[in-house]
Amino acid sequence: MIDIELTEIDRGRSFIPGGVNSGQRQVPGIESLVVTATSGSTFTDAEGRTYTDYHAAFGPPLLGHNDPDVDAAVAEAGRRLDNMGVGVTPIEARLAEKLAELVPSIEKVLLTMTGSEATFHALRLARTATRRRHVIKFQGCYHGWHDSVAMNVISPADRIGRKDPLSGGILPEVLDATIVVPFNDAAAVERALEEHSGDVAAIILEPIPHNIGAVLPQPGFLERLRELATEHGTVLVFDEVITGFRHGLGGYQKVAGVTPDLTTLGKAMANGWPISALGGKADLMDLFSTTPGRPAFFAGTFNGHPAMAAAALATIDRLEREPVHEHVFRLGERARRGLQEVYDALDLPVVVSGFGSVFVTYFLQGPVNTYTDLLANDVDLFVGYRRELMKHGIFELPLNLKRSHISYAHTEADIDRLLEATNESVRAVLARR
Ligand SMILES: Cc1ncc(COP(=O)(O)O)c(C=O)c1O
């Protein structure tokens, strides 16, 4: 099915608006990209070129693409147990218990398919529990496509400080009910809570805003959010769709030692298979209509799909049994250190940031604490060196502020090649100036 002629692909994709199935897959400069195969740390395009992949589908394949254990678990579950839509399956039950065992904030958990569904339900639950209207989100954080949060991610300078919706069709009253504040600014959060006193249902954040690369939380920031949420009776939601599992089996909350009320998980949870989760305090989670008579409606035909739950269990099993995090953290460290050396030698002001397996270089004078600091990024250089990297058979998404990911399938030799190629690519862009 995937071995079809390019002309057929072009014909077929003409029936897809824009030719891709998610907004950010249409990347300037590589509009014609057709991916025909993935394997471990690589992907191959329709022209037969193979790239070392650091984009990693925005983060899921922590073990590498097409991991044989995970894929075998999916096939095995698929052979024996289809999605039934009534009752529960043993695989879902086992996964729920595992998630509660691993993630500090999770006492009870529900399964969905995508990160957007998980964050949607988190906010609906927070509003149901508190009977309040507003939610607080941070400029630069992305929590999916639904109306309450689809705003103020990579905003142009003139839209910072006001609503910057990602889409038309969002009701003004929904936009009004989301308060956008700067990341790492606890005083701004406190002001917003006071200004809307008694009417903020939730504070939602990526504990590391990876949708703008890797802006690290300042010491004390997450702790202060925890205090403020508790003081104001507001539900604290850590959106760990990226950080969960990638940064540790207990999520970034375990690393930071800060426990939110609700947590969303997705992406790396099943190494690329579509499953996500919303978990948290039992008294909140028990408000869902999965308990008869409870007020927060929750449903989904594919929720807890046995083959996807099997993928998650197989992924977690590998993460528990093998030194996956040790490997990707070591390579991440090597990449960040090596990149800093490359840029030092070029005498280029940069901030090489990241955490664990995630890395990104901002071309600006630091420090980087909040989204507005990133407006100084040299976008042409950021995007330009990534386009050059493709000539070396290396793929980092050539879009402004996008992070890169290392998987268990990447090797030290891959990182060494990355460093060499980055050096040449950055020099090539600078030489054209
Ligand atoms: C932090 C975060 N939350 C939520 C989402 C939405 O997840 P999905 O695309 O699976 O709906 C994303 C997607 O990139 C994300 O990065």
Side-chain angles (χ1 to χ4, degrees), residues 220-242:
F221 176 65
L222 298 177
E223 289 83 350
R224 184 68 188 131
L225 291 185
R226 177 64 280 176
E227 282 169 10
L228 287 170
T230 305
E231 271 169 36
H232 289 261
T234 295
V235 176
L236 183 63
V237 185
F238 276 11
D239 178 357
E240 296 230 42
V241 163
I242 296 174

Side-chain angles (χ1 to χ4, degrees), residues 22 24-25 57-60 113-119 141-146 149 204-211 238-243 264-267 274-276 402-403:
S22 184
Q24 292 225 307
R25 294 185 195 167
F58 290 103
M113 297 293 289
T114 66
S116 297
E117 290 166 90
T119 60
C141 287
Y142 177 69
H143 305 292
W145 40 250
H146 55 94
V149 287
I204 185 167
L205 67 148
E206 297 177 68
I208 301 176
H210 278 311
N211 277 285
F238 276 11
D239 178 357
E240 296 230 42
V241 163
I242 296 174
T243 53
T264 54
L265 300 165
K267 295 198 193 280
I275 185 166
S276 64
K402 292 302 162 199
R403 66 195 178 278

Side-chain angles (χ1 to χ4, degrees), residues 255-291:
V255 178
V258 177
T259 305
D261 301 305
L262 295 176
T263 298
T264 54
L265 300 165
K267 295 198 193 280
M269 176 177 171
N271 204 53
W273 292 93
I275 185 166
S276 64
L278 166 63
K281 285 192 171 147
D283 59 342
L284 288 172
M285 294 298 295
D286 279 335
L287 294 175
F288 276 120
S289 62
T290 43
T291 305

